[in-house]
């Protein structure tokens, strides 16, 4: 349920209303906008008398929220959320590009790629240390030492780091990580979602391979229910009958999610297509669709990459793409925040 409060409402009356709602055993989420203040009620609102609330002097309108996601719902928070990652904002008018290799492979590799993506204008470095691989015989990542190497690359370049946590068992190693990624395969690992929500860090939540947008929003809700409001959603392609691309990039997810939620939404054209030639057109399409950012795989030697070489851009290809993104952003009313 959401209550829109009149602009001229007195603080005392407002606080009385909040206390009354809390006494009913509900949580409140207050969002102050330019034109009105919205109170979101979270919990079992079936016993709340909507007619009674409507009659209060300070109340403009009351509306039941049918959707099961509350904190993530745009009705609760009409303005776009801007997630701040070490001074780089994502969401609102701000567009960010996260770039780096699929996996951290060596100090030389991660530092070379970090310097190259920074030079091209990326504002965050990605790199997997714990890799969720389909085959148990495939490269599983450098794990703890991979995190150490990412931190070295951060010290060298100043780029905040984004890396995937595959299990609650490793969470202590992520203390200095700037953004914790929850990968597609773990989107509905509810215990993991609860634990990352407790860290209070920005969380990059990727859509599952076969999950609906409502399920994605419910997973964001798990994180937010722990008090962590800094969630970035990521469309990374879904399973369909099509076999010519690794996944099918569901770009309509971007405008649909923009309507449903205030959280930033980024697109991963690398895992969506599986093919480096398709990364540029789908990146530009994502900008056109209104995405708040991109996460792109870049490797200094894709032919010898230990993971996902076929979808990785070389640094010079990435730089050329960044130039085109920069040209497109003003057309869609956005800007790089760097
Ligand atoms: C990744 O970004 O490294 C990754 C494994 O992606 P996804 O979870 O989307 O498959
Ligand atoms: Mn990858």
């Amino acid at each position: 349920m959401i209550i829109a409060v009149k602009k001229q409402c007195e603080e005392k009356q407002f606080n009385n209303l909040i206390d009354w709602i809390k006494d009913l055993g509900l949580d409140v989420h207050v969002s102050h906008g330019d034109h009105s203040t919205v109170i979101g009620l979270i919990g079992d609102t079936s016993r709340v008398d909507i007619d009674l609330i409507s009659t209060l002097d300070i109340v403009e309108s009351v509306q039941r929220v049918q959707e099961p996601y509350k904190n993530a719902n745009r009705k609760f928070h009409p303005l776009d959320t801007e997630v701040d990652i070490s001074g780089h904002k994502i969401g609102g008018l701000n567009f960010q590009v996260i770039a780096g290799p699929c996996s951290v492979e060596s100090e030389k590799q991660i530092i070379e790629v970090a310097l190259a993506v920074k030079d091209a204008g990326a504002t965050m470095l990605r790199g997997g240390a714990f890799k969720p691989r389909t085959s148990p015989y495939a490269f599983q990542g450098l794990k703890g030492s991979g995190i150490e190497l990412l931190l070295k690359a951060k010290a060298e370049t100043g780029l905040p780091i984004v890396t995937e946590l595959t299990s609650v068992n490793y969470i202590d190693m992520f203390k200095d990580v700037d953004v914790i990624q929850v990968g597609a395969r773990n989107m509905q690992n509810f215990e993991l979602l609860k634990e990352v929500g407790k860290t209070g860090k920005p969380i990059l939540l990727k859509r599952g391979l076969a999950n609906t947008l409502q399920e994605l929003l419910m997973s964001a809700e798990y994180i937010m229910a722990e008090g962590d409001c800094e969630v970035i959603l990521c469309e990374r392609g879904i399973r369909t009958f099509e076999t010519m691309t690794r996944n099918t990039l569901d770009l309509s997810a971007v405008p649909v999610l923009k309507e449903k939620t205030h959280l930033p939404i980024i697109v991963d054209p690398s895992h969506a297509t599986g093919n480096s030639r398709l990364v540029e057109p789908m990146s530009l399409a994502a900008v056109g669709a209104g995405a708040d950012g991109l996460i792109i795989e870049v490797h200094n030697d894709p032919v010898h990459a230990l993971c996902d070489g076929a979808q990785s851009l070389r640094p010079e290809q990435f730089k050329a793409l960044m130039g085109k993104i920069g040209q497109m952003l003003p057309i869609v009313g956005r800007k790089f925040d760097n």
Side-chain angles (χ1 to χ4, degrees):
M1 184 178 289
I2 50 171
I3 305 173
V5 174
K6 287 183 185 155
K7 216 173 163 32
Q8 61 275 20
C9 148
E10 278 176 25
E11 199 180 326
K12 186 165 180 292
Q13 289 173 296
F14 182 79
N15 291 338
N16 284 345
L17 177 57
I18 299 280
D19 290 344
W20 180 75
I21 298 166
K22 286 187 176 164
D23 283 346
L24 291 172
L26 299 167
D27 275 338
V28 290
H29 174 100
V30 178
S31 170
H32 295 284
D34 285 346
H35 304 293
S36 66
T37 295
V38 171
I39 307 173
L41 278 56
I42 302 163
D44 178 10
T45 55
S46 57
R47 287 171 297 112
V48 179
D49 186 341
I50 193 162
D51 296 327
L52 176 66
I53 296 177
S54 315
T55 58
L56 299 177
D57 282 349
I58 60 165
V59 170
E60 182 85 51
S61 63
V62 191
Q63 200 189 339
R64 281 208 186 271
V65 176
Q66 304 300 343
E67 296 89 355
Y69 48 94
K70 310 291 178 190
N71 286 295
N73 201 316
R74 195 179 273 285
K75 289 177 186 158
F76 271 48
H77 190 293
L79 298 179
D80 288 336
T81 284
E82 293 182 10
V83 175
D84 193 315
I85 300 142
S86 308
H88 302 294
K89 289 206 182 86
I90 182 160
L93 300 180
N94 314 292
F95 192 91
Q96 300 286 347
V97 179
I98 305 167
C102 178
S103 317
V104 182
E105 298 171 8
S106 66
E107 179 167 344
K108 183 173 181 300
Q109 174 242 21
I110 194 66
I111 294 199
E112 264 183 46
V113 177
L115 289 168
V117 299
K118 182 177 182 184
D119 170 64
T123 42
M124 279 174 250
L125 176 67
R126 65 148 287 147
F130 293 89
K131 293 305 302 176
R133 304 302 300 275
T134 303
S135 166
Y137 309 118
F139 176 58
Q140 303 286 309
L142 297 181
K143 307 193 169 75
S145 50
I147 306 261
E148 296 302 319
L149 294 181
L150 281 167
L151 292 171
K152 273 196 179 170
K154 176 180 171 177
E156 189 94 6
T157 59
L159 292 176
I161 54 174
V162 182
T163 192
E164 179 170 351
L165 174 63
T166 51
S167 159
V168 287
N169 296 340
Y170 310 134
I171 203 158
D172 291 344
M173 293 183 214
F174 281 64
K175 280 194 300 291
D176 299 321
V177 166
D178 298 279
V179 179
I180 301 180
Q181 178 173 321
V182 174
R185 290 154 191 83
N186 268 316
M187 189 203 87
Q188 286 191 314
N189 180 339
F190 301 117
E191 294 309 316
L192 183 63
L193 297 175
K194 286 188 247 177
E195 289 307 313
V196 297
K198 287 180 194 146
T199 65
K201 285 182 185 281
I203 308 298
L204 174 59
L205 176 64
K206 299 187 94 177
R207 181 180 182 182
L209 276 70
N211 285 110
T212 64
L213 296 178
Q214 173 137 326
E215 286 165 342
L216 173 62
L217 290 168
M218 290 311 293
S219 292
E221 194 71 22
Y222 260 95
I223 298 168
M224 297 175 90
E226 299 296 330
D228 188 344
C229 297
E230 309 229 284
V231 181
I232 302 161
L233 304 173
C234 179
E235 163 59 38
R236 47 77 73 208
I238 48 173
R239 276 280 165 82
T240 67
F241 48 79
E242 184 51 68
T243 55
M244 287 202 188
T245 47
R246 184 174 178 185
N247 292 287
T248 297
L249 180 55
D250 177 13
L251 267 187
S252 54
V254 175
V256 170
L257 288 169
K258 284 267 153 208
E259 279 180 21
K260 305 285 178 204
T261 181
H262 51 90
L263 297 172
I265 300 130
I266 69 169
V267 168
D268 176 346
S270 309
H271 292 91
T273 62
N275 180 337
S276 62
R277 288 197 310 282
L278 303 180
V279 170
E280 177 173 307
M282 298 324 287
S283 296
L284 298 178
V287 176
D292 296 298
L294 291 159
I295 179 165
I296 299 178
E297 286 188 344
V298 179
H299 199 289
N300 52 350
D301 184 10
V303 179
H304 296 106
L306 294 182
C307 184
D308 287 350
Q311 67 194 34
S312 299
L313 296 185
R314 292 191 309 276
E316 64 276 15
Q317 293 173 309
F318 177 66
K319 193 166 184 168
L321 170 58
M322 288 295 280
K324 292 187 188 176
I325 294 169
Q327 285 180 317
M328 252 187 101
L329 286 179
I331 300 170
V332 290
R334 313 297 288 270
K335 60 181 173 54
F336 278 130
D337 181 48
N338 48 17

